[in-house]
PDB file of all heavy atoms in Angstrom:
ATOM      1  N   HIS J  40      88.192-204.047  12.553  1.00 60.00           N
ATOM      2  CA  HIS J  40      89.099-204.860  13.303  1.00 60.00           C
ATOM      3  C   HIS J  40      88.364-205.888  14.147  1.00 60.00           C
ATOM      4  O   HIS J  40      88.868-207.005  14.387  1.00 60.00           O
ATOM      5  CB  HIS J  40      90.010-204.008  14.179  1.00 60.00           C
ATOM      6  CG  HIS J  40      91.019-204.807  14.935  1.00 60.00           C
ATOM      7  ND1 HIS J  40      92.114-205.381  14.366  1.00 60.00           N
ATOM      8  CD2 HIS J  40      91.099-205.127  16.260  1.00 60.00           C
ATOM      9  CE1 HIS J  40      92.843-206.043  15.265  1.00 60.00           C
ATOM     10  NE2 HIS J  40      92.235-205.898  16.400  1.00 60.00           N
ATOM     11  N   ASP J  41      87.136-205.495  14.600  1.00 56.00           N
ATOM     12  CA  ASP J  41      86.340-206.404  15.443  1.00 56.00           C
ATOM     13  C   ASP J  41      85.630-207.487  14.656  1.00 56.00           C
ATOM     14  O   ASP J  41      85.140-208.432  15.232  1.00 56.00           O
ATOM     15  CB  ASP J  41      85.305-205.571  16.234  1.00 56.00           C
ATOM     16  CG  ASP J  41      86.012-204.661  17.250  1.00 56.00           C
ATOM     17  OD1 ASP J  41      87.139-204.965  17.644  1.00 56.00           O
ATOM     18  OD2 ASP J  41      85.395-203.650  17.652  1.00 56.00           O
ATOM     19  N   ILE J  42      85.517-207.300  13.324  1.00 59.00           N
ATOM     20  CA  ILE J  42      84.828-208.305  12.486  1.00 59.00           C
ATOM     21  C   ILE J  42      85.686-209.573  12.463  1.00 59.00           C
ATOM     22  O   ILE J  42      86.903-209.515  12.238  1.00 59.00           O
ATOM     23  CB  ILE J  42      84.618-207.800  11.075  1.00 59.00           C
ATOM     24  CG1 ILE J  42      83.672-206.569  11.084  1.00 59.00           C
ATOM     25  CG2 ILE J  42      84.016-208.880  10.204  1.00 59.00           C
ATOM     26  CD1 ILE J  42      83.511-205.932   9.741  1.00 59.00           C
ATOM     27  N   PRO J  43      85.072-210.713  12.661  1.00 70.00           N
ATOM     28  CA  PRO J  43      85.831-211.979  12.575  1.00 70.00           C
ATOM     29  C   PRO J  43      86.520-212.110  11.220  1.00 70.00           C
ATOM     30  O   PRO J  43      86.035-211.645  10.211  1.00 70.00           O
ATOM     31  CB  PRO J  43      84.763-213.069  12.765  1.00 70.00           C
ATOM     32  CG  PRO J  43      83.666-212.398  13.495  1.00 70.00           C
ATOM     33  CD  PRO J  43      83.670-210.952  13.037  1.00 70.00           C
ATOM     34  N   ARG J  44      87.652-212.748  11.200  1.00 68.00           N
ATOM     35  CA  ARG J  44      88.450-212.867   9.964  1.00 68.00           C
ATOM     36  C   ARG J  44      87.690-213.519   8.826  1.00 68.00           C
ATOM     37  O   ARG J  44      87.697-213.042   7.691  1.00 68.00           O
ATOM     38  CB  ARG J  44      89.728-213.653  10.286  1.00 68.00           C
ATOM     39  CG  ARG J  44      90.699-213.754   9.106  1.00 68.00           C
ATOM     40  CD  ARG J  44      91.935-214.524   9.527  1.00 68.00           C
ATOM     41  NE  ARG J  44      92.863-214.617   8.412  1.00 68.00           N
ATOM     42  CZ  ARG J  44      93.725-213.687   8.088  1.00 68.00           C
ATOM     43  NH1 ARG J  44      93.757-212.541   8.788  1.00 68.00           N
ATOM     44  NH2 ARG J  44      94.574-213.824   7.076  1.00 68.00           N
ATOM     45  N   ALA J  45      86.974-214.602   9.122  1.00 67.00           N
ATOM     46  CA  ALA J  45      86.225-215.308   8.072  1.00 67.00           C
ATOM     47  C   ALA J  45      85.141-214.423   7.450  1.00 67.00           C
ATOM     48  O   ALA J  45      84.967-214.384   6.244  1.00 67.00           O
ATOM     49  CB  ALA J  45      85.601-216.578   8.625  1.00 67.00           C
ATOM     50  N   ALA J  46      84.423-213.672   8.327  1.00 68.00           N
ATOM     51  CA  ALA J  46      83.379-212.785   7.806  1.00 68.00           C
ATOM     52  C   ALA J  46      83.966-211.671   6.999  1.00 68.00           C
ATOM     53  O   ALA J  46      83.433-211.264   5.968  1.00 68.00           O
ATOM     54  CB  ALA J  46      82.587-212.216   8.991  1.00 68.00           C
ATOM     55  N   GLY J  47      85.102-211.157   7.426  1.00 60.00           N
ATOM     56  CA  GLY J  47      85.792-210.106   6.635  1.00 60.00           C
ATOM     57  C   GLY J  47      86.207-210.586   5.263  1.00 60.00           C
ATOM     58  O   GLY J  47      86.041-209.861   4.250  1.00 60.00           O
ATOM     59  N   ILE J  48      86.713-211.793   5.179  1.00 71.00           N
ATOM     60  CA  ILE J  48      87.111-212.353   3.897  1.00 71.00           C
ATOM     61  C   ILE J  48      85.894-212.540   2.984  1.00 71.00           C
ATOM     62  O   ILE J  48      85.946-212.254   1.788  1.00 71.00           O
ATOM     63  CB  ILE J  48      87.847-213.705   4.111  1.00 71.00           C
ATOM     64  CG1 ILE J  48      89.197-213.455   4.815  1.00 71.00           C
ATOM     65  CG2 ILE J  48      88.084-214.395   2.791  1.00 71.00           C
ATOM     66  CD1 ILE J  48      89.930-214.736   5.172  1.00 71.00           C
ATOM     67  N   ALA J  49      84.802-213.002   3.585  1.00 68.00           N
ATOM     68  CA  ALA J  49      83.565-213.207   2.793  1.00 68.00           C
ATOM     69  C   ALA J  49      83.052-211.882   2.240  1.00 68.00           C
ATOM     70  O   ALA J  49      82.641-211.814   1.080  1.00 68.00           O
ATOM     71  CB  ALA J  49      82.478-213.868   3.670  1.00 68.00           C
ATOM     72  N   ILE J  50      83.074-210.852   3.051  1.00 70.00           N
ATOM     73  CA  ILE J  50      82.634-209.545   2.582  1.00 70.00           C
ATOM     74  C   ILE J  50      83.490-209.024   1.457  1.00 70.00           C
ATOM     75  O   ILE J  50      83.026-208.485   0.456  1.00 70.00           O
ATOM     76  CB  ILE J  50      82.616-208.517   3.745  1.00 70.00           C
ATOM     77  CG1 ILE J  50      81.538-208.915   4.784  1.00 70.00           C
ATOM     78  CG2 ILE J  50      82.393-207.102   3.262  1.00 70.00           C
ATOM     79  CD1 ILE J  50      81.561-208.087   6.037  1.00 70.00           C
ATOM     80  N   MET J  51      84.816-209.185   1.600  1.00 68.00           N
ATOM     81  CA  MET J  51      85.738-208.748   0.552  1.00 68.00           C
ATOM     82  C   MET J  51      85.518-209.514  -0.747  1.00 68.00           C
ATOM     83  O   MET J  51      85.563-208.928  -1.836  1.00 68.00           O
ATOM     84  CB  MET J  51      87.172-208.915   1.040  1.00 68.00           C
ATOM     85  CG  MET J  51      87.580-207.994   2.177  1.00 68.00           C
ATOM     86  SD  MET J  51      87.462-206.240   1.705  1.00 68.00           S
ATOM     87  CE  MET J  51      88.735-206.165   0.454  1.00 68.00           C
ATOM     88  N   LEU J  52      85.217-210.798  -0.669  1.00 63.00           N
ATOM     89  CA  LEU J  52      84.956-211.599  -1.859  1.00 63.00           C
ATOM     90  C   LEU J  52      83.694-211.132  -2.548  1.00 63.00           C
ATOM     91  O   LEU J  52      83.630-211.062  -3.785  1.00 63.00           O
ATOM     92  CB  LEU J  52      84.847-213.091  -1.459  1.00 63.00           C
ATOM     93  CG  LEU J  52      86.155-213.796  -1.105  1.00 63.00           C
ATOM     94  CD1 LEU J  52      85.915-215.206  -0.650  1.00 63.00           C
ATOM     95  CD2 LEU J  52      87.116-213.803  -2.339  1.00 63.00           C
ATOM     96  N   VAL J  53      82.656-210.860  -1.770  1.00 66.00           N
ATOM     97  CA  VAL J  53      81.401-210.373  -2.349  1.00 66.00           C
ATOM     98  C   VAL J  53      81.608-209.056  -3.048  1.00 66.00           C
ATOM     99  O   VAL J  53      81.146-208.848  -4.170  1.00 66.00           O
ATOM    100  CB  VAL J  53      80.317-210.245  -1.260  1.00 66.00           C
ATOM    101  CG1 VAL J  53      79.090-209.515  -1.809  1.00 66.00           C
ATOM    102  CG2 VAL J  53      79.901-211.615  -0.734  1.00 66.00           C
ATOM    103  N   MET J  54      82.358-208.163  -2.424  1.00 69.00           N
ATOM    104  CA  MET J  54      82.626-206.853  -3.042  1.00 69.00           C
ATOM    105  C   MET J  54      83.438-207.026  -4.340  1.00 69.00           C
ATOM    106  O   MET J  54      83.200-206.302  -5.314  1.00 69.00           O
ATOM    107  CB  MET J  54      83.375-205.965  -2.052  1.00 69.00           C
ATOM    108  CG  MET J  54      82.523-205.560  -0.849  1.00 69.00           C
ATOM    109  SD  MET J  54      83.470-204.607   0.380  1.00 69.00           S
ATOM    110  CE  MET J  54      83.794-203.115  -0.546  1.00 69.00           C
ATOM    111  N   LEU J  55      84.374-207.951  -4.316  1.00 67.00           N
ATOM    112  CA  LEU J  55      85.172-208.210  -5.495  1.00 67.00           C
ATOM    113  C   LEU J  55      84.358-208.742  -6.655  1.00 67.00           C
ATOM    114  O   LEU J  55      84.489-208.312  -7.800  1.00 67.00           O
ATOM    115  CB  LEU J  55      86.320-209.200  -5.150  1.00 67.00           C
ATOM    116  CG  LEU J  55      87.262-209.563  -6.283  1.00 67.00           C
ATOM    117  CD1 LEU J  55      88.006-208.329  -6.797  1.00 67.00           C
ATOM    118  CD2 LEU J  55      88.259-210.629  -5.859  1.00 67.00           C
TER     119      LEU J  55
END
Side-chain angles (χ1 to χ4, degrees):
H40 182 72
D41 293 337
I42 296 176
R44 184 178 180 83
I48 293 175
I50 292 173
M51 292 299 295
L52 287 174
V53 170
M54 293 176 65
L55 180 62

